[in-house]
Amino acid sequence: TGVQTCALPIYVVLMECPPVQTAPAAAAIAAMADAAVLVIEACRTTKQQIQRDQQALQLRGVKLAGCILMRRR
């Protein structure tokens, strides 16, 4: 497995990864992309977790394009 080159022009590719703090490989995968988006779960993800994830991505040189706030079920 892995990221492979595609011959067709692709404008957006979304890759779902586990949380950065529980799976360090997620930051490594994000480093291969042009940018990353953090998904934050309302009433569950703490401010400290968000800051740690941002820092982990920045250390890998990942551009953070934004965040998505998901409602808790």
Side-chain angles (χ1 to χ4, degrees):
T1 67
V3 178
Q4 297 180 4
T5 304
C6 181
L8 301 173
I10 296 177
Y11 301 100
V12 176
V13 175
L14 299 176
M15 295 174 22
E16 181 179 358
C17 294
V20 174
Q21 294 302 314
T22 59
I29 293 168
M32 292 187 275
D34 292 330
V37 176
L38 281 179
V39 178
I40 300 166
E41 190 171 351
C43 301
R44 186 168 177 195
T45 307
T46 67
K47 183 177 180 179
Q48 291 78 20
Q49 287 172 318
I50 296 167
Q51 290 172 334
R52 283 195 306 262
D53 288 349
Q54 284 179 310
Q55 185 178 33
L57 293 172
Q58 287 175 345
L59 288 172
R60 292 272 190 167
V62 177
K63 177 184 173 188
L64 188 58
C67 298
I68 297 174
L69 180 62
M70 301 292 289
R71 282 192 346 202
R72 186 174 179 187
R73 293 182 180 186

